Amino acid sequence: MVNHNKQMTDKTKKAQVVVAAIDPERQSFLFLLLQTNKKRGEFWQNITGKVEKDETYEEGALREAIEETGLEVEMLVDMIELGVQFDFIDQWKRKVHEKTFLIIVEKKFDIKIDSSEHEDFKWVELEKIHDGIVKHPSNYETLLKAQHLLKHWGV
């Protein structure tokens, strides 16, 4: 018999976060993408990060969004678990279980990136999300889920 609880505890917990800003002029949304620095490969991605042992996935997702962008909690309109999950082996050969979240903020804000991880950012219109805009298929799948949800959410 397989102990599924044991399998989950053996995995590193990660959170992936899509940040969407309300764009009132276009009555739509803008997605935030971060570009990793040279040391990390210079590719575009959503916010990702490890969930600490004492955190829930949601708490880790919010903390990572704050650390990687300078997001302030007062800016939040909503935070939604997207229900998309991934299991994979990371670059350090660890088994990882990743849950995905969407954070909606009231408007674009000044991003304060951590140069030890990222070197650039951009806001992308909801309608301009396409295959290849991010490196990892899991990031694209998460963006598509957020895009689909927001198209029906309305501004």
Side-chain angles (χ1 to χ4, degrees):
M1 179 180 258
V2 177
N3 182 342
H4 293 286
N5 289 336
K6 172 90 171 100
Q7 285 181 335
M8 281 301 291
T9 58
D10 289 347
K11 291 186 178 182
T12 299
K13 297 185 334 185
K14 288 189 79 174
Q16 182 186 150
V17 183
V18 173
V19 173
I22 296 172
D23 181 1
E25 289 177 18
R26 297 177 56 255
Q27 295 190 326
S28 187
F29 293 91
L30 300 167
F31 286 146
L32 175 66
L33 296 178
L34 302 177
Q35 185 180 32
T36 59
N37 61 25
K38 281 187 184 193
K39 184 174 126 187
R40 296 182 66 220
E42 293 185 298
F43 57 85
W44 291 97
Q45 65 174 22
N46 302 324
I47 295 165
T48 61
K50 187 176 175 187
V51 176
E52 302 298 333
K53 289 188 187 311
D54 61 337
E55 291 179 318
T56 65
Y57 279 93
E58 187 174 53
E59 290 167 339
L62 182 57
R63 178 187 47 75
E64 285 291 336
I66 291 167
E67 288 176 3
E68 293 190 12
T69 68
L71 172 79
E72 295 176 9
V73 176
E74 298 79 30
M75 299 173 185
L76 262 73
V77 172
D78 205 351
M79 182 170 178
I80 302 163
E81 186 169 347
L82 289 171
V84 181
Q85 300 181 39
F86 302 99
D87 290 291
F88 58 93
I89 307 292
D90 70 10
Q91 62 190 15
W92 298 282
K93 309 293 185 224
R94 297 179 302 197
K95 293 179 182 176
V96 175
H97 183 72
E98 182 176 70
K99 291 187 178 186
T100 59
F101 297 86
L102 168 63
I103 290 178
I104 302 169
V105 294
E106 56 196 19
K107 62 182 178 187
K108 287 193 317 185
F109 59 98
D110 291 329
I111 305 300
K112 298 174 186 78
I113 56 177
D114 177 356
S115 61
S116 69
E117 291 191 46
H118 300 101
E119 65 183 24
D120 203 0
F121 71 91
K122 63 183 173 184
W123 291 97
V124 180
E125 295 171 11
L126 174 80
E127 302 79 14
K128 293 194 176 171
I129 295 300
H130 59 84
D131 188 22
I133 198 164
V134 288
K135 178 180 178 180
H136 298 292
S138 62
N139 280 199
Y140 181 58
E141 185 177 335
T142 303
L143 282 167
L144 286 179
K145 175 75 180 214
Q147 182 187 45
H148 178 75
L149 182 72
L150 291 175
K151 279 184 179 177
H152 302 290
W153 201 65
V155 176

PDB file of all heavy atoms in Angstrom, residues 91-107:
ATOM      1  N   GLN A  91      15.647  21.510 -11.076  1.00  0.00           N
ATOM      2  CA  GLN A  91      17.048  21.487 -11.511  1.00  0.00           C
ATOM      3  C   GLN A  91      17.985  20.908 -10.455  1.00  0.00           C
ATOM      4  O   GLN A  91      19.104  20.522 -10.755  1.00  0.00           O
ATOM      5  CB  GLN A  91      17.500  22.888 -11.913  1.00  0.00           C
ATOM      6  CG  GLN A  91      17.452  23.892 -10.778  1.00  0.00           C
ATOM      7  CD  GLN A  91      17.667  25.315 -11.263  1.00  0.00           C
ATOM      8  OE1 GLN A  91      17.577  25.604 -12.448  1.00  0.00           O
ATOM      9  NE2 GLN A  91      17.957  26.208 -10.340  1.00  0.00           N
ATOM     10  N   TRP A  92      17.533  20.859  -9.194  1.00  0.00           N
ATOM     11  CA  TRP A  92      18.337  20.294  -8.107  1.00  0.00           C
ATOM     12  C   TRP A  92      17.940  18.853  -7.814  1.00  0.00           C
ATOM     13  O   TRP A  92      18.282  18.306  -6.787  1.00  0.00           O
ATOM     14  CB  TRP A  92      18.222  21.151  -6.847  1.00  0.00           C
ATOM     15  CG  TRP A  92      18.737  22.536  -7.064  1.00  0.00           C
ATOM     16  CD1 TRP A  92      20.050  22.926  -7.090  1.00  0.00           C
ATOM     17  CD2 TRP A  92      17.967  23.700  -7.318  1.00  0.00           C
ATOM     18  NE1 TRP A  92      20.127  24.268  -7.362  1.00  0.00           N
ATOM     19  CE2 TRP A  92      18.860  24.780  -7.494  1.00  0.00           C
ATOM     20  CE3 TRP A  92      16.599  23.954  -7.413  1.00  0.00           C
ATOM     21  CZ2 TRP A  92      18.436  26.070  -7.762  1.00  0.00           C
ATOM     22  CZ3 TRP A  92      16.173  25.240  -7.676  1.00  0.00           C
ATOM     23  CH2 TRP A  92      17.091  26.274  -7.846  1.00  0.00           C
ATOM     24  N   LYS A  93      17.146  18.259  -8.719  1.00  0.00           N
ATOM     25  CA  LYS A  93      16.702  16.864  -8.638  1.00  0.00           C
ATOM     26  C   LYS A  93      15.734  16.602  -7.485  1.00  0.00           C
ATOM     27  O   LYS A  93      15.606  15.479  -7.011  1.00  0.00           O
ATOM     28  CB  LYS A  93      17.905  15.897  -8.536  1.00  0.00           C
ATOM     29  CG  LYS A  93      18.972  16.095  -9.591  1.00  0.00           C
ATOM     30  CD  LYS A  93      18.448  15.733 -10.965  1.00  0.00           C
ATOM     31  CE  LYS A  93      19.557  15.825 -11.992  1.00  0.00           C
ATOM     32  NZ  LYS A  93      19.161  16.482 -13.216  1.00  0.00           N
ATOM     33  N   ARG A  94      15.034  17.661  -7.046  1.00  0.00           N
ATOM     34  CA  ARG A  94      14.024  17.499  -5.991  1.00  0.00           C
ATOM     35  C   ARG A  94      12.671  17.240  -6.629  1.00  0.00           C
ATOM     36  O   ARG A  94      12.351  17.812  -7.680  1.00  0.00           O
ATOM     37  CB  ARG A  94      13.919  18.763  -5.131  1.00  0.00           C
ATOM     38  CG  ARG A  94      15.160  19.121  -4.374  1.00  0.00           C
ATOM     39  CD  ARG A  94      14.961  20.394  -3.589  1.00  0.00           C
ATOM     40  NE  ARG A  94      14.583  21.484  -4.506  1.00  0.00           N
ATOM     41  CZ  ARG A  94      14.639  22.777  -4.215  1.00  0.00           C
ATOM     42  NH1 ARG A  94      15.043  23.174  -3.025  1.00  0.00           N
ATOM     43  NH2 ARG A  94      14.309  23.691  -5.096  1.00  0.00           N
ATOM     44  N   LYS A  95      11.863  16.404  -5.977  1.00  0.00           N
ATOM     45  CA  LYS A  95      10.481  16.222  -6.387  1.00  0.00           C
ATOM     46  C   LYS A  95       9.705  17.452  -5.910  1.00  0.00           C
ATOM     47  O   LYS A  95       9.811  17.835  -4.750  1.00  0.00           O
ATOM     48  CB  LYS A  95       9.889  14.969  -5.757  1.00  0.00           C
ATOM     49  CG  LYS A  95      10.508  13.688  -6.259  1.00  0.00           C
ATOM     50  CD  LYS A  95       9.883  12.507  -5.553  1.00  0.00           C
ATOM     51  CE  LYS A  95      10.537  11.217  -6.013  1.00  0.00           C
ATOM     52  NZ  LYS A  95      10.019  10.051  -5.265  1.00  0.00           N
ATOM     53  N   VAL A  96       8.933  18.051  -6.824  1.00  0.00           N
ATOM     54  CA  VAL A  96       8.223  19.289  -6.525  1.00  0.00           C
ATOM     55  C   VAL A  96       6.730  19.115  -6.788  1.00  0.00           C
ATOM     56  O   VAL A  96       6.334  18.502  -7.777  1.00  0.00           O
ATOM     57  CB  VAL A  96       8.761  20.450  -7.401  1.00  0.00           C
ATOM     58  CG1 VAL A  96       7.963  21.729  -7.188  1.00  0.00           C
ATOM     59  CG2 VAL A  96      10.239  20.683  -7.132  1.00  0.00           C
ATOM     60  N   HIS A  97       5.931  19.674  -5.886  1.00  0.00           N
ATOM     61  CA  HIS A  97       4.486  19.792  -6.111  1.00  0.00           C
ATOM     62  C   HIS A  97       4.182  21.287  -6.106  1.00  0.00           C
ATOM     63  O   HIS A  97       4.460  21.975  -5.120  1.00  0.00           O
ATOM     64  CB  HIS A  97       3.685  19.080  -5.025  1.00  0.00           C
ATOM     65  CG  HIS A  97       2.211  19.128  -5.282  1.00  0.00           C
ATOM     66  ND1 HIS A  97       1.613  18.379  -6.283  1.00  0.00           N
ATOM     67  CD2 HIS A  97       1.222  19.852  -4.714  1.00  0.00           C
ATOM     68  CE1 HIS A  97       0.312  18.643  -6.296  1.00  0.00           C
ATOM     69  NE2 HIS A  97       0.051  19.538  -5.358  1.00  0.00           N
ATOM     70  N   GLU A  98       3.641  21.792  -7.229  1.00  0.00           N
ATOM     71  CA  GLU A  98       3.396  23.224  -7.394  1.00  0.00           C
ATOM     72  C   GLU A  98       1.902  23.482  -7.587  1.00  0.00           C
ATOM     73  O   GLU A  98       1.254  22.831  -8.404  1.00  0.00           O
ATOM     74  CB  GLU A  98       4.175  23.725  -8.609  1.00  0.00           C
ATOM     75  CG  GLU A  98       4.045  25.205  -8.876  1.00  0.00           C
ATOM     76  CD  GLU A  98       4.914  25.633 -10.038  1.00  0.00           C
ATOM     77  OE1 GLU A  98       4.597  25.269 -11.196  1.00  0.00           O
ATOM     78  OE2 GLU A  98       5.906  26.329  -9.792  1.00  0.00           O
ATOM     79  N   LYS A  99       1.382  24.453  -6.821  1.00  0.00           N
ATOM     80  CA  LYS A  99       0.007  24.905  -6.984  1.00  0.00           C
ATOM     81  C   LYS A  99       0.031  26.311  -7.566  1.00  0.00           C
ATOM     82  O   LYS A  99       0.987  27.056  -7.360  1.00  0.00           O
ATOM     83  CB  LYS A  99      -0.734  24.908  -5.642  1.00  0.00           C
ATOM     84  CG  LYS A  99      -0.986  23.508  -5.101  1.00  0.00           C
ATOM     85  CD  LYS A  99      -1.869  23.551  -3.878  1.00  0.00           C
ATOM     86  CE  LYS A  99      -2.158  22.152  -3.382  1.00  0.00           C
ATOM     87  NZ  LYS A  99      -3.132  22.163  -2.273  1.00  0.00           N
ATOM     88  N   THR A 100      -1.044  26.668  -8.256  1.00  0.00           N
ATOM     89  CA  THR A 100      -1.074  27.941  -8.985  1.00  0.00           C
ATOM     90  C   THR A 100      -2.158  28.879  -8.457  1.00  0.00           C
ATOM     91  O   THR A 100      -3.227  28.444  -8.036  1.00  0.00           O
ATOM     92  CB  THR A 100      -1.311  27.681 -10.481  1.00  0.00           C
ATOM     93  OG1 THR A 100      -2.544  26.983 -10.632  1.00  0.00           O
ATOM     94  CG2 THR A 100      -0.174  26.867 -11.079  1.00  0.00           C
ATOM     95  N   PHE A 101      -1.838  30.176  -8.546  1.00  0.00           N
ATOM     96  CA  PHE A 101      -2.723  31.209  -8.018  1.00  0.00           C
ATOM     97  C   PHE A 101      -2.785  32.394  -8.974  1.00  0.00           C
ATOM     98  O   PHE A 101      -1.854  32.642  -9.735  1.00  0.00           O
ATOM     99  CB  PHE A 101      -2.214  31.700  -6.652  1.00  0.00           C
ATOM    100  CG  PHE A 101      -2.213  30.625  -5.612  1.00  0.00           C
ATOM    101  CD1 PHE A 101      -1.144  29.760  -5.483  1.00  0.00           C
ATOM    102  CD2 PHE A 101      -3.305  30.466  -4.768  1.00  0.00           C
ATOM    103  CE1 PHE A 101      -1.151  28.742  -4.537  1.00  0.00           C
ATOM    104  CE2 PHE A 101      -3.322  29.462  -3.818  1.00  0.00           C
ATOM    105  CZ  PHE A 101      -2.244  28.602  -3.699  1.00  0.00           C
ATOM    106  N   LEU A 102      -3.884  33.119  -8.870  1.00  0.00           N
ATOM    107  CA  LEU A 102      -4.067  34.369  -9.594  1.00  0.00           C
ATOM    108  C   LEU A 102      -4.268  35.462  -8.556  1.00  0.00           C
ATOM    109  O   LEU A 102      -5.123  35.332  -7.675  1.00  0.00           O
ATOM    110  CB  LEU A 102      -5.302  34.286 -10.499  1.00  0.00           C
ATOM    111  CG  LEU A 102      -5.800  35.584 -11.122  1.00  0.00           C
ATOM    112  CD1 LEU A 102      -4.761  36.184 -12.059  1.00  0.00           C
ATOM    113  CD2 LEU A 102      -7.124  35.344 -11.855  1.00  0.00           C
ATOM    114  N   ILE A 103      -3.455  36.506  -8.647  1.00  0.00           N
ATOM    115  CA  ILE A 103      -3.633  37.685  -7.801  1.00  0.00           C
ATOM    116  C   ILE A 103      -4.079  38.822  -8.708  1.00  0.00           C
ATOM    117  O   ILE A 103      -3.411  39.138  -9.689  1.00  0.00           O
ATOM    118  CB  ILE A 103      -2.330  38.058  -7.066  1.00  0.00           C
ATOM    119  CG1 ILE A 103      -2.011  37.008  -5.988  1.00  0.00           C
ATOM    120  CG2 ILE A 103      -2.443  39.454  -6.444  1.00  0.00           C
ATOM    121  CD1 ILE A 103      -0.727  37.262  -5.227  1.00  0.00           C
ATOM    122  N   ILE A 104      -5.232  39.400  -8.383  1.00  0.00           N
ATOM    123  CA  ILE A 104      -5.759  40.528  -9.136  1.00  0.00           C
ATOM    124  C   ILE A 104      -5.507  41.785  -8.314  1.00  0.00           C
ATOM    125  O   ILE A 104      -5.833  41.830  -7.123  1.00  0.00           O
ATOM    126  CB  ILE A 104      -7.269  40.361  -9.409  1.00  0.00           C
ATOM    127  CG1 ILE A 104      -7.506  39.059 -10.178  1.00  0.00           C
ATOM    128  CG2 ILE A 104      -7.817  41.570 -10.178  1.00  0.00           C
ATOM    129  CD1 ILE A 104      -8.969  38.652 -10.276  1.00  0.00           C
ATOM    130  N   VAL A 105      -4.889  42.776  -8.964  1.00  0.00           N
ATOM    131  CA  VAL A 105      -4.606  44.051  -8.293  1.00  0.00           C
ATOM    132  C   VAL A 105      -5.382  45.166  -8.994  1.00  0.00           C
ATOM    133  O   VAL A 105      -5.760  45.042 -10.158  1.00  0.00           O
ATOM    134  CB  VAL A 105      -3.090  44.373  -8.252  1.00  0.00           C
ATOM    135  CG1 VAL A 105      -2.345  43.360  -7.384  1.00  0.00           C
ATOM    136  CG2 VAL A 105      -2.483  44.416  -9.640  1.00  0.00           C
ATOM    137  N   GLU A 106      -5.590  46.259  -8.272  1.00  0.00           N
ATOM    138  CA  GLU A 106      -6.456  47.339  -8.775  1.00  0.00           C
ATOM    139  C   GLU A 106      -5.885  48.066  -9.985  1.00  0.00           C
ATOM    140  O   GLU A 106      -6.628  48.616 -10.788  1.00  0.00           O
ATOM    141  CB  GLU A 106      -6.768  48.326  -7.653  1.00  0.00           C
ATOM    142  CG  GLU A 106      -5.535  48.911  -6.999  1.00  0.00           C
ATOM    143  CD  GLU A 106      -5.805  49.584  -5.658  1.00  0.00           C
ATOM    144  OE1 GLU A 106      -6.840  49.324  -5.054  1.00  0.00           O
ATOM    145  OE2 GLU A 106      -4.941  50.383  -5.248  1.00  0.00           O
ATOM    146  N   LYS A 107      -4.547  48.062 -10.133  1.00  0.00           N
ATOM    147  CA  LYS A 107      -3.918  48.727 -11.287  1.00  0.00           C
ATOM    148  C   LYS A 107      -2.446  48.318 -11.348  1.00  0.00           C
ATOM    149  O   LYS A 107      -1.917  47.737 -10.405  1.00  0.00           O
ATOM    150  CB  LYS A 107      -4.035  50.243 -11.166  1.00  0.00           C
ATOM    151  CG  LYS A 107      -3.335  50.801  -9.939  1.00  0.00           C
ATOM    152  CD  LYS A 107      -3.526  52.296  -9.828  1.00  0.00           C
ATOM    153  CE  LYS A 107      -2.851  52.779  -8.543  1.00  0.00           C
ATOM    154  NZ  LYS A 107      -3.098  54.157  -8.246  1.00  0.00           N
TER     155      LYS A 107
END
